[in-house]
Amino acid sequence: MSGANGKTAATASLIWELKRHPFFEALTDEKLKGLLDAAQSVVFGARKQIFSQGDESDCLYIILSGRVKISSYSDAGKETVLAFMGENEVLGEMGVFDGGARSAAASALQETRALRLYRRDVLDFLERNHGVALQIIAALCTRLRHTNFLLEDIATLPAAPRLARALLRLGEYYGHVDDDGSLCIDMKLSQGNLGAHAGLMRENVNRQLKLWESEGLVRQKAGVITVLKPETLKHIGEE
């Protein structure tokens, strides 16, 4: 395949991937090609830092594949995992809109493919495509609500309900329901990252998961957690 043909095929493949994203599905191929002309394809290795809290916000990323962890750090260095992001999600758009510093850090949990778009190109594109801007604003509001729910859980709930809610939340966003009704979280999740997401020490997460395993409520295999009895965990989360 010649270089020109190869580039055309690669662009067509990226357009297909972008049109699976709700932000871009209504745009024509021509408009998306114009956006891609300004985009850079990047790959982040597992555990690679994408940006740090406090960095200049000069670009956003559209995740094509992989998994990214979004974390906030206190002055004492304590990590709170605000979210896990994956395929077809947009990362770092808040700072691109307001020009402020990064409010959180982002790192790849596994090899992650993304498109990088710089602020000037994003703002120019949104000036010409107001519908996309409205969809991004709606997504930002949804993400803010989710963060508020997370912080409320951390501030008000005991350990077991907090962990139950965290598992069910991750299963809802990044999981699937098997034929037997169990809920499998489709990502490898360390107990440290799970604890930072639920506001718990890793040791507390380990102890609670072992207890739930002995009771037949969850299963752990190769870093993947399956909730065997989602309704029971839901009741625990409501305690």
Side-chain angles (χ1 to χ4, degrees):
M1 183 180 287
S2 69
N5 288 339
K7 183 175 181 180
T8 299
T11 300
S13 176
L14 287 174
I15 287 174
W16 179 82
E17 289 190 86
L18 277 182
K19 293 198 84 163
R20 297 166 62 198
H21 193 294
F23 291 169
F24 308 115
E25 62 185 358
L27 296 178
T28 64
D29 288 4
E30 183 180 356
K31 286 186 176 181
L32 281 175
K33 185 178 182 303
L35 181 66
L36 287 173
D37 286 342
Q40 298 177 353
S41 182
V42 291
V43 179
F44 298 99
R47 295 179 295 279
K48 176 73 174 179
Q49 192 84 8
I50 298 173
F51 53 75
S52 298
Q53 188 171 327
D55 281 356
E56 179 184 356
S57 301
D58 61 343
C59 63
L60 62 73
Y61 298 89
I62 302 168
I63 303 172
L64 301 177
S65 65
R67 189 76 68 191
V68 173
K69 176 178 70 169
I70 311 299
S71 302
S72 177
Y73 293 88
S74 70
D75 291 340
K78 182 181 178 181
E79 180 186 21
T80 299
V81 177
L82 301 174
F84 299 94
M85 303 182 71
E87 181 181 348
N88 292 337
E89 295 192 273
V90 177
L91 169 67
E93 71 276 30
M94 185 183 298
V96 165
F97 284 156
D98 69 7
R102 299 289 191 192
S103 59
S107 58
L109 290 176
Q110 61 192 69
E111 184 175 278
T112 297
R113 292 172 51 244
L115 293 176
R116 178 164 56 205
L117 282 159
Y118 284 96
R119 185 170 189 261
R120 61 182 181 275
D121 299 312
V122 173
L123 296 181
D124 179 63
F125 179 77
L126 294 178
E127 286 260 342
R128 293 179 282 109
N129 297 278
H130 295 162
V132 178
L134 292 174
Q135 287 171 299
I136 292 178
I137 290 169
L140 280 171
C141 292
T142 299
R143 193 176 300 167
L144 179 59
R145 285 193 181 95
H146 291 163
T147 300
N148 287 342
F149 291 148
L150 169 67
L151 297 178
E152 183 180 349
D153 286 353
I154 290 175
T156 62
L157 292 178
R162 200 185 311 171
L163 184 58
R165 288 195 186 190
L167 290 174
L168 292 172
R169 183 168 53 241
L170 291 172
E172 178 186 355
Y173 300 148
Y174 304 111
H176 68 273
V177 178
D178 290 328
D179 292 339
D180 61 0
S182 59
L183 180 63
C184 179
I185 300 172
D186 295 327
M187 72 169 88
K188 287 189 175 181
L189 195 59
S190 73
Q191 292 182 355
N193 281 332
L194 178 56
H197 183 56
L200 297 168
M201 298 292 291
R202 187 196 65 80
E203 294 80 4
N204 294 337
V205 172
N206 179 269
R207 187 181 308 113
Q208 189 63 61
L209 288 177
K210 283 185 175 179
L211 175 61
W212 284 344
E213 271 193 305
S214 70
E215 295 174 344
L217 300 183
V218 303
R219 179 176 64 237
Q220 301 180 83
K221 185 176 181 181
V224 174
I225 299 174
T226 300
V227 180
L228 301 176
K229 297 181 179 179
E231 283 302 316
T232 302
L233 244 64
K234 183 179 178 180
H235 290 316
I236 292 172
E238 292 170 349
E239 290 178 359

